């Protein structure tokens, strides 16, 4: 018996040593390659580790909220809950495309094929009520967010086929989908307290404070008016290298205002400490008040090193009127960016091309290469030559607001699609007029919609502009009950599983995704899968460019514009580090100057 057992143990040891997928504990993980920071890093590269502590940071935001649970479809959540109250197993270094380091977990073990990955929790990690964060809490978080949370949680977490918790500090996840990003996605999963949520309905909105393990707790909640976060004096992670130089205020307060003008007036009067300005006219003409001239308010433009925000007026292709891509291209032509930029925005903007503008991931000006052609598959044969060779450009008008040459091309395309101009405007063969509604939620959006409305009227299209409040807009957006809406997608240098939520075919019918256009294209799904399966940076870039090329050639939005950075105003008593992360201005690294 002893001999047989010894042989069995020997054989088992040989299998473990020979296994090509054996995992080793590491301090971090990168989507591609290795993390940039060593195991003994002192702090993140964009913080001031000696930043003073104390004081309050006040911010003015627009809209409203009716819930403090940001993880569910229902309701409109208060700003800041995820950032200030909740934590994940790993934390992100925003100076890298996508690298994570130990936060609640002290290490991660990942097999070579990334099918199995294990996290080891820190013994000191605890929730704000003093209870320890355990493997049981992590498993509960996965199951709860997957079954009751937003669709993006379900899309990713449902890929986990098995969870093992051999002890309170160890949890192992297994998948068989081959998703190489999944270990990182699980790494940034918000961790919930199982004990806190017992007897509560997670899927319902709530205004009662909820707890996490983060540096702040909810101090005061006034529905639709304000939310105040207070620093947890017993915060367990304050000495972690990942947290040094961050979370420097004793309180963080968000006050809600009706619109951008009201929020701006609050900033001017000193009721808010910082402001990221979105209106170029206001930035150029509105910041001439005494505090700016006296140096008490500082103005700066923060450069962003990530893809430009992809903003646009979105065609809901679930609506019959927008089914034909020729119609969508024609309406893209009808948007006079040059006039709007000169007359509405003081020439402060540049036109945004696609979904990764300004980065190596963009398809703009780049022909399809062999790698990308393989990703595109049969879709390559359906692409127009100008999309294949990268020569397609967005239309450029003469800036008159009524460029006849451009509008004639738009009318011709509409005629090809069966829409012709008659006595009562544009109509189809059945005599049905071309009419739709542009849904907006604030005056800034209304301004650009009204400009577009005037141009559309010139070619016989009746576009109604309807403004609704923030909760109503969110409800209609979530259920896809609109013809056209403004939307922005913020993409990083390491897009991944969120692309399923943004553009995956399932989002055409499943409510609550960010697939606002209703895209259902197997070629886009295949490009996203190739993105997730890529093992080399070359294959990854090819897959992202394929996705971008398909989205641009599908004319799912009327592309709008971006500023090439962020316009930031802050009162002089607020300090910031000299270095900013890749996405730009980061409020969690600020401090109050004594």
């Amino acid at each position: 018996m002893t001999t047989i057992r010894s042989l069995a143990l020997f054989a088992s040891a040989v299998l473990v040593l020979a296994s090509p997928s054996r995992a080793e504990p590491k301090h971090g993980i990168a989507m591609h390659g290795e993390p940039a920071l060593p195991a003994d890093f002192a702090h993140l590269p964009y913080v001031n580790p000696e930043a003073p502590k104390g004081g309050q940071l006040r911010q003015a935001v627009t809209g409203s909220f009716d819930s403090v649970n940001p993880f569910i479809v229902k309701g409109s959540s208060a700003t800041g809950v995820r950032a200030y109250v909740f934590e994940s197993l790993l934390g992100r270094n925003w100076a890298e495309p996508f690298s994570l380091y130990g936060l609640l977990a002290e290490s991660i073990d990942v097999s070579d094929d990334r099918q199995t990955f294990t996290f080891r929790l820190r013994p000191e990690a605890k929730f704000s009520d003093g209870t320890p964060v355990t493997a049981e809490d992590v498993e509960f978080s996965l199951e709860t967010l997957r079954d009751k949370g937003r669709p993006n949680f379900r899309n990713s977490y449902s890929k986990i086929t098995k969870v093992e918790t051999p002890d309170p500090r160890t949890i192992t996840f297994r998948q068989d989908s081959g998703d190489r990003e999944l270990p990182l996605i699980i790494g940034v999963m918000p961790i919930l307290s199982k004990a806190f949520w017992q007897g509560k309905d997670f899927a319902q909105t709530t205004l009662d404070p909820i707890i996490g393990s983060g540096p702040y707790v909810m101090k005061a909640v006034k529905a639709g008016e304000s939310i105040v976060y207070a620093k947890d004096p017993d915060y367990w992670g304050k000495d972690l290298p990942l947290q040094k130089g961050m979370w420097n205020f004793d309180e963080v307060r968000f006050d809600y205002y009706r619109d951008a003008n009201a929020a701006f007036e609050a900033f001017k009067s000193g009721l808010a400490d910082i402001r990221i300005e979105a209106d170029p006219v206001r930035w150029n003409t509105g910041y001439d008040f005494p505090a700016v001239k006296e140096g008490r308010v500082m103005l700066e433009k923060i450069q962003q090193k990530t893809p430009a925000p992809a903003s646009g007026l979105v065609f809901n292709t679930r609506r019959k009127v927008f089914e034909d891509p020729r119609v969508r291209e024609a309406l893209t032509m009808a948007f006079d960016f040059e006039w709007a930029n000169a007359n509405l925005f003081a020439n402060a903007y540049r036109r945004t091309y696609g979904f990764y503008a300004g980065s190596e991931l963009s398809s703009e000006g780049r022909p399809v290469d062999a790698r990308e052609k393989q990703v595109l598959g049969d879709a390559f044969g359906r692409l127009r030559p100008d999309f294949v060779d990268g020569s397609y450009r967005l239309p450029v008008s003469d800036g008159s607001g009524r460029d006849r040459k451009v509008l004639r091309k738009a009318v011709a395309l509409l005629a090809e699609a069966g829409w012709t101009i008659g006595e009562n405007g544009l109509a189809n063969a059945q005599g049905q007029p071309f009419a739709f509604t542009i849904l907006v939620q604030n005056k800034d959006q209304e301004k650009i919609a009204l400009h577009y409305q005037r141009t559309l009227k010139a070619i016989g299209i009746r576009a109604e502009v309807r403004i609704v409040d923030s909760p109503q807009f969110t409800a209609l957006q979530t259920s896809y009950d609109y013809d056209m809406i403004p939307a922005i997608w913020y993409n990083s240098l390491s897009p991944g599983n969120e692309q399923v939520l943004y553009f995956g075919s399932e989002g055409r019918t499943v409510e609550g995704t960010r697939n606002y256009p209703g895209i259902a294209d197997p070629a886009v799904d295949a490009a996203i899968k190739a993105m997730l399966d890529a093992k080399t940076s070359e294959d990854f870039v090819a897959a992202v460019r394929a996705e971008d090329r398909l989205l641009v050639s599908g004319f799912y939005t009327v592309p709008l514009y971006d500023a090439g950075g962020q316009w930031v105003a802050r009162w002089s008593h607020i300090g910031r580090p000299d270095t900013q992360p890749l996405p730009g201005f980061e409020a969690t690294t600020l401090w109050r100057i004594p």
Side-chain angles (χ1 to χ4, degrees), residues 40-367:
D40 61 348
F41 75 93
H43 56 80
L44 293 172
Y46 48 84
V47 303
N48 173 10
E50 305 302 324
K53 305 290 185 181
Q56 185 184 61
L57 177 67
R58 301 162 301 165
Q59 299 180 62
V61 294
T62 59
S64 183
F65 72 93
D66 57 10
S67 177
V68 295
N69 186 346
F71 308 122
I72 58 175
V73 172
K74 289 185 177 181
S76 180
S77 178
T79 301
V81 177
R82 174 65 178 89
Y84 290 97
V85 175
F86 286 89
E87 292 182 314
S88 48
L89 296 168
L90 306 177
R92 193 159 182 173
N93 173 19
W94 289 101
E96 300 176 66
F98 196 8
S99 291
L100 306 176
Y101 300 85
L103 185 50
L104 289 169
E106 62 186 12
S107 68
I108 176 175
D109 306 353
V110 185
S111 61
D112 290 342
D113 59 7
R114 297 197 173 184
Q115 297 285 76
T116 302
F117 40 100
T118 299
F119 297 92
R120 181 72 172 165
L121 295 171
R122 297 183 189 273
E124 68 270 31
K126 62 180 181 179
F127 294 105
S128 60
D129 64 357
T131 58
V133 179
T134 68
E136 190 176 4
D137 294 306
V138 178
E139 185 175 14
F140 168 79
S141 301
L142 177 92
E143 294 172 348
T144 301
L145 294 168
R146 179 196 62 202
D147 299 339
K148 300 179 181 180
R150 300 183 67 85
N152 57 308
F153 295 131
R154 181 173 62 252
N155 289 340
S156 296
Y157 304 163
S158 61
K159 296 178 183 179
I160 297 298
T161 57
K162 189 176 183 181
V163 178
E164 298 171 357
T165 54
D167 63 66
R169 289 181 51 209
T170 306
I171 185 162
T172 297
F173 298 93
R174 302 185 189 277
Q175 63 155 325
D176 55 20
S177 64
D179 184 345
R180 296 187 60 79
E181 191 188 30
L182 193 57
L184 289 86
I185 295 299
I186 297 298
V188 296
M189 174 177 69
I191 302 304
L192 314 171
S193 166
K194 181 178 180 179
F196 174 82
W197 285 103
Q198 291 300 309
K200 299 180 178 71
D201 189 347
F202 185 82
Q204 298 300 317
T205 62
T206 181
L207 289 167
D208 295 328
I210 57 180
I211 71 163
S213 63
Y216 290 82
V217 297
M218 296 180 189
K219 178 181 178 180
V221 179
K222 293 184 179 179
E225 295 183 17
S226 65
I227 184 167
V228 181
Y229 302 97
K231 190 76 168 288
D232 181 357
D234 299 318
Y235 174 50
W236 72 272
K238 60 180 180 295
D239 295 323
L240 291 179
L242 197 65
Q243 306 292 57
K244 283 287 181 69
M246 299 181 67
W247 323 114
N248 300 313
F249 296 95
D250 288 338
E251 286 189 358
V252 176
R253 179 186 181 99
F254 293 92
D255 288 301
Y256 283 75
Y257 293 86
R258 180 182 65 259
D259 54 34
N261 285 330
F264 174 59
E265 291 300 322
F267 175 78
K268 281 176 61 178
S269 63
L271 295 177
D273 298 306
I274 60 173
R275 176 174 172 80
I276 298 178
E277 183 55 69
D279 186 335
V281 174
R282 187 183 294 118
W283 181 252
N284 285 322
T285 63
Y287 287 82
D288 59 353
F289 50 94
V292 175
K293 296 175 181 178
E294 296 164 4
R296 292 185 292 121
V297 167
M298 305 170 69
L299 308 179
E300 53 191 344
K301 185 174 183 178
I302 305 295
Q303 295 299 317
Q304 295 173 288
K305 300 176 183 178
T306 50
S311 66
L313 296 171
V314 178
F315 299 107
N316 187 353
T317 65
R318 303 172 186 87
R319 300 285 204 252
K320 189 172 182 59
V321 70
F322 294 137
E323 282 181 348
D324 195 319
R326 293 172 297 183
V327 168
R328 303 196 297 269
E329 182 177 8
L331 267 64
T332 297
M333 291 179 178
F335 182 81
D336 194 333
F337 166 74
E338 286 67 33
W339 186 93
N341 199 30
N343 292 276
L344 301 179
F345 305 128
N347 286 315
Y349 285 134
R350 62 187 183 185
R351 194 80 186 268
T352 305
Y353 183 103
F355 295 81
Y356 301 94
S359 77
E360 68 166 347
L361 304 178
S362 175
S363 63
E364 182 179 13
R366 295 182 170 98

